């Protein structure tokens, strides 16, 4: 086997430009597959981290009527905070959020919004709601996202009128004051959302001690089931991201298949041409005592070594590129706020040893199969005719 590897390597180097063209194409497939897989893995990791930091924590309890995709459920989606959670809220391990429907009137225009009440002293989310802990004459301190501010042409220090309906069905209105504008990668915490103090919103709605969502930050605690509330784990809350990543992975698999197909086609043609032109050499091997199986193995190893050389070449020029991408990231050409899900403007690839090893094994195995396929013809050759260079 060792002799076959040395002989195969010598034959490959002797083929010159033909070998290196195949190796370059194959190495390009290596780099593109690893990079794109890294981008998708990085997107998955980043999306879940951002959702954890900005929106879902490590899990949530939602009031049983609450459906984030059905605005008609909002007015009925509130209930008193369970007594068993009051200690956790006091310690900062859990944060209640009250949600109400409302309308905002920027520059005399009307737009529906969600008014969210949150504790200004909370440490669970990255939301800058500490800016709510202030007193503004004749206005309610509020915080909004950058996309919301851009869409409504609002800026820090602006005042704008909002309207809401309390639990008795009575409409009321007040002026809010924009104390802070934040930027987040999670559209659900930005678009159409206005944040005010939890106590203030409870007072406005006449819903003292009630909440819509209870978010906790410690998933290791065995959180119990509570009547009237639906418990959702982090896995449940990130299911939409997992589903989208699966779809994207399936889509990019088509590109991977095309890249590998082009590389394998080049190697297949090279093997066919090599067997056609080297019939005398094959006959010589058999005449020297090589079995047909050993000669087939030699040509298979020779073809498979294209992937070995490609892996080495990929490490030479691809490793610096992949490391640079992991640090600099890939900036999306479009405004990611329009995607409707957690995605940063710049995605940072995440690579793993498993990703690299699996990619190498898949390409090497495919190369071995493609190299063996045309080499099977050698087993049917007549050694005498092969020495004469005649095609069978």
């Amino acid at each position: 086997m060792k002799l076959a590897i040395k002989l195969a390597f010598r034959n490959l180097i002797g083929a010159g430009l033909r070998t290196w063209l195949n190796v370059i194409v194959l190495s390009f497939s290596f780099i593109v597959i690893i990079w794109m897989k890294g981008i998708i893995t990085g997107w998955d990791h980043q999306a879940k981290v951002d959702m954890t930091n900005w929106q879902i924590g490590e899990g949530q309890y939602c009031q049983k009527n609450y459906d984030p995709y059905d605005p008609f459920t909002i007015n009925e989606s509130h209930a008193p905070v369970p007594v068993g959670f009051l200690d956790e809220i006091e310690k900062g391990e859990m944060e209640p959020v009250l949600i109400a429907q409302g309308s905002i009137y920027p520059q005399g225009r009307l737009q529906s919004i969600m008014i969210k009440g949150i504790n200004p002293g909370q440490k669970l989310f990255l939301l800058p709601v500490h800016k709510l802990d202030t007193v503004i004459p004749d206005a309610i301190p509020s915080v909004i996202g950058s996309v919301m501010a851009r869409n409504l042409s609002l800026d820090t220090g602006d005042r704008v009128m909002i309207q809401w309906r309390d639990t008795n069905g009575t409409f009321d209105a007040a002026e809010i004051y924009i104390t802070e504008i934040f930027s987040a990668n999670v559209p659900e915490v930005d678009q159409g959302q206005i944040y005010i103090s939890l106590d203030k919103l409870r007072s406005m709605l006449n819903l003292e001690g009630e909440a819509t969502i209870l978010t906790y930050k410690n998933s290791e605690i065995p959180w119990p089931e509570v009547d009237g509330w639906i418990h959702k784990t982090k896995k449940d809350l990130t299911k939409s991201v997992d589903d989208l990543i699966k779809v994207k992975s399936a889509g990019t698999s088509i590109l991977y298949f095309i890249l590998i197909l082009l590389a394998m086609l080049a190697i297949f043609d090279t093997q066919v041409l090599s067997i056609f032109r080297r019939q005398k050499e094959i006959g010589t091997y058999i005449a020297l005592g090589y079995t047909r199986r050993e000669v087939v193995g030699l040509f298979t190893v020779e073809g498979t070594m294209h992937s070995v050389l490609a892996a080495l070449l990929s490490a030479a020029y691809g490793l610096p590129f992949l490391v640079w991408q992991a640090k600099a990231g890939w900036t999306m050409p479009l405004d990611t706020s329009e995607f409707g899900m957690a995605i940063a403007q710049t995605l940072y690839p995440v690579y793993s040893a498993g990703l690299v090893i699996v990619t190498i094994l898949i390409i090497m195995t495919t190369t071995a199969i493609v190299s063996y396929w045309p080499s099977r013809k050698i087993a049917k050759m007549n050694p005498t005719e092969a020495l004469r260079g005649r095609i069978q």
Side-chain angles (χ1 to χ4, degrees):
M1 185 64 183
K2 186 176 181 180
L3 179 62
I5 293 175
K6 288 183 178 180
L7 187 57
F9 180 75
R10 189 194 67 184
N11 292 337
L12 279 181
I13 299 301
L17 182 61
R18 185 171 68 250
T19 295
W20 291 112
L21 286 175
N22 288 331
V23 169
I24 290 171
V25 172
L26 199 53
S27 69
F28 179 73
S29 299
F30 270 113
I31 298 303
V32 171
I33 291 174
I34 293 174
W35 177 73
M36 292 193 68
K37 277 287 188 182
I39 286 288
I40 293 178
T41 303
W43 177 9
D44 181 37
H45 176 75
Q46 164 267 320
K48 291 178 179 178
V49 169
D50 286 341
M51 289 179 69
T52 298
N53 293 335
W54 287 93
Q55 183 186 17
I56 64 174
E58 293 295 328
Q60 292 180 339
Y61 286 88
C62 300
Q63 204 277 336
K64 64 178 181 179
N65 297 323
Y66 177 65
D67 182 351
Y69 303 106
D70 184 1
F72 295 103
T73 66
I74 301 300
N75 289 335
E76 305 300 326
S77 301
H78 52 81
V81 175
V83 177
F85 292 152
L86 294 179
D87 287 342
E88 299 297 331
I89 293 174
E90 184 68 23
K91 292 186 293 185
E93 294 293 324
M94 176 179 280
E95 289 296 337
V97 176
L98 182 61
I99 305 177
Q101 279 186 300
S103 301
I104 191 170
Y105 297 86
Q107 295 87 43
R109 297 177 288 115
L110 180 150
Q111 179 170 322
S112 296
I113 57 170
M114 293 294 175
I115 307 173
K116 292 187 174 181
I118 189 169
N119 176 19
Q122 64 84 31
K123 302 296 182 182
L124 180 56
F125 304 114
L126 293 180
L127 293 165
V129 290
H130 61 279
K131 294 287 187 176
L132 301 176
D133 191 11
T134 184
V135 177
I136 306 296
D138 303 322
I140 303 171
S142 64
V143 170
I144 63 174
S146 57
V147 175
M148 177 81 166
R150 184 173 68 248
N151 291 340
L152 300 182
S153 300
L154 296 175
D155 203 350
T156 303
D158 287 350
R159 291 171 177 257
V160 63
M161 188 68 66
I162 64 169
Q163 184 185 54
W164 69 92
R165 188 174 65 175
D166 65 19
T167 188
N168 299 317
T170 304
F171 284 93
D172 203 348
E175 200 172 49
I176 62 170
Y177 178 88
I178 309 300
T179 61
E180 184 75 6
I181 296 175
F182 64 87
S183 179
N185 297 327
V186 185
E188 289 85 349
V189 303
D190 185 338
Q191 298 176 5
Q193 315 288 317
I194 289 181
Y195 297 85
I196 66 175
S197 170
L198 176 61
D199 290 339
K200 182 61 179 179
L201 184 57
R202 284 172 170 174
S203 174
M204 291 162 53
L205 300 177
N206 295 321
L207 295 174
E208 295 300 328
E210 298 198 10
T212 304
I213 297 174
L214 303 170
T215 306
Y216 56 83
K217 67 178 181 180
N218 190 348
S219 60
E220 297 180 359
I221 297 176
W223 296 97
E225 297 297 327
V226 180
D227 290 339
W229 295 83
I230 299 174
H231 183 208
K232 295 183 179 180
T233 64
K234 186 176 180 179
K235 184 176 181 180
D236 297 330
L237 295 168
T238 58
K239 186 177 182 300
S240 60
V241 176
D242 293 331
D243 292 341
L244 182 59
I245 293 299
K246 288 179 181 178
V247 172
K248 291 296 182 181
S249 296
T252 54
S253 296
I254 298 175
L255 177 59
Y256 305 155
F257 176 76
I258 293 174
L259 288 172
I260 294 176
L261 181 64
L262 292 174
M264 294 305 107
L265 181 61
I267 292 174
F268 180 82
D269 287 344
T270 299
Q271 288 294 92
V272 171
L273 179 62
S274 180
I275 293 170
F276 173 77
R277 297 180 60 183
R278 295 164 59 187
Q279 291 189 74
K280 287 186 178 181
E281 179 183 340
I282 294 170
T284 301
Y285 288 144
I286 296 175
L288 289 173
Y290 279 73
T291 65
R292 286 181 172 82
R293 184 175 180 180
E294 288 175 334
V295 177
V296 171
L298 173 64
F299 276 77
T300 302
V301 170
E302 187 175 315
T304 305
M305 286 191 71
H306 283 93
S307 60
V308 176
L309 294 175
L312 296 175
L313 182 61
S314 299
Y317 77 86
L319 188 59
F321 168 76
L322 295 176
V323 171
W324 170 73
Q325 273 288 288
K327 294 180 178 179
W330 177 51
T331 301
M332 300 286 286
L334 301 174
D335 185 357
T336 55
S337 63
E338 305 298 330
F339 280 68
M341 67 161 294
I343 177 172
Q345 188 70 38
T346 300
L347 296 178
Y348 295 90
V350 174
Y351 314 112
S352 64
L355 170 61
V356 176
I357 292 172
V358 169
T359 302
I360 292 175
L361 289 178
I362 289 176
I363 293 181
M364 289 188 68
T365 302
T366 308
T367 306
I369 294 172
V370 170
S371 301
Y372 170 74
W373 194 1
S375 300
R376 294 178 305 167
K377 184 178 180 182
I378 296 174
K380 301 177 182 178
M381 282 186 174
N382 185 310
T384 303
E385 298 298 329
L387 283 170
R388 296 177 180 176
R390 296 182 180 179
I391 302 175
Q392 299 297 316

